[in-house]
Amino acid sequence: MLKDLTWRYKFPGLAGLSPTVSDLLDKRAVSAVLKQGAVVFGPGKPAENLLLLVSGTVRVQQLSEAGREIVLYRVHAGESCVLTTACLLAFEDYSAEGVAETNVEAILIPRDTFDELMAVSKEFRAFVFEAYSKRITDLFMVIEEIAFKRMDIRIAEKLLELQDAQNALHLTHQQMAVELGTAREVISRQLKEFERRGWLTLSRGVIELRDVPAIERLAQAP
């Protein structure tokens, strides 16, 4: 039984639950703390709990038959994991891997409790399906970008998304390739072109952005 009930305030969709459903959720849900780098779930494993993230970030990624990785999406604080939801609903095993990108605090709702709440509470169903539909839309956007958007524009967008307060990214070209679902050589070639233009500086494991407005203009190109 959860002792700290304030976690539900991080999930606005749970605010409308009836006292009976809220009490059931608090009695059966459990809290979990995971260290950075921990594998949250993996391919071929069954989904045993609905994952609600209270703090931290979980990266969901998939490995192709050719051995290439791609980041599908990230689960942030206040969100649920759509792949876990899909596996719970369809009684399927995971087809991708979830990794704690930071230290993570999560609430786990066991499968039997998930099934019961889905059956008796329209508010809980609405919470689950609203998050599910939003993430599915995001995944279609990922597919569209991979299939149709120019790689230089995608790289520019990712540079802006992942930069820190000092306009730097602490990641390798291979890690950037995983983010975008392409080969390291493609990333290296394009980053070197950006460096030639004076937009950024490359060093081992670090990308320093020098001309953010220029990168923004490319990212906004049609």
Side-chain angles (χ1 to χ4, degrees):
M1 180 175 180
L2 295 172
K3 294 181 179 180
D4 182 5
L5 306 183
T6 61
W7 67 271
R8 277 196 272 116
Y9 294 109
K10 292 184 177 292
F11 302 90
L14 297 179
L17 296 180
S18 69
T20 300
V21 172
S22 296
D23 185 58
L24 176 66
L25 185 60
D26 294 335
K27 284 181 178 178
R28 298 188 184 175
V30 296
S31 61
V33 176
L34 301 170
K35 296 292 186 182
Q36 181 178 9
V39 176
V40 183
F41 53 79
K45 302 294 185 182
E48 299 177 342
N49 303 279
L50 178 65
L51 174 72
L52 303 180
L53 213 60
V54 176
S55 65
T57 304
V58 172
R59 182 178 70 252
V60 180
Q61 57 194 26
Q62 191 163 30
L63 184 67
S64 72
E65 291 183 0
R68 181 175 296 172
E69 287 182 294
I70 180 172
V71 175
L72 299 176
Y73 61 91
R74 286 176 169 82
V75 186
H76 299 284
E79 297 179 345
S80 60
C81 177
V82 66
L83 182 58
T84 299
T85 302
C87 291
L88 287 169
L89 291 171
F91 293 89
E92 296 283 350
D93 292 340
Y94 284 108
S95 58
E97 180 182 52
V99 178
E101 202 162 51
T102 65
N103 291 337
V104 163
E105 181 184 359
I107 299 297
L108 306 180
I109 302 176
R111 170 182 278 283
D112 57 348
T113 302
F114 172 83
D115 291 341
E116 184 174 349
L117 291 176
M118 289 291 287
V120 303
S121 173
K122 65 178 182 180
E123 291 82 10
F124 185 79
R125 287 196 301 273
F127 165 74
V128 169
F129 284 122
E130 181 180 354
Y132 185 80
S133 61
K134 178 182 182 302
R135 185 61 73 183
I136 287 295
T137 301
D138 292 342
L139 285 174
F140 274 114
M141 291 177 62
V142 170
I143 294 170
E144 181 180 354
E145 287 185 352
I146 292 173
F148 303 114
K149 186 172 286 188
R150 281 169 31 197
M151 183 55 67
D152 59 342
I153 294 177
R154 294 182 62 211
I155 292 174
E157 291 174 341
K158 190 59 67 173
L159 290 171
L160 296 171
E161 176 189 339
L162 298 180
Q163 66 175 321
D164 61 19
Q166 287 71 46
N167 304 120
L169 297 85
H170 297 270
L171 78 173
T172 65
H173 294 190
Q174 178 59 42
Q175 289 170 320
M176 177 70 83
V178 169
E179 291 284 339
L180 295 171
T182 189
R184 179 186 58 79
E185 292 78 12
V186 173
I187 298 297
S188 296
R189 183 165 58 248
Q190 192 62 64
L191 288 177
K192 287 176 182 176
E193 173 60 22
F194 287 177
E195 186 176 43
R196 186 191 66 79
R197 297 180 191 178
W199 293 1
L200 51 77
T201 300
L202 300 172
S203 56
R204 188 175 182 83
V206 180
I207 304 171
E208 296 182 71
L209 307 189
R210 298 298 187 187
D211 192 342
V212 173
I215 298 173
E216 289 176 336
R217 285 193 295 272
L218 176 60
Q220 295 165 5

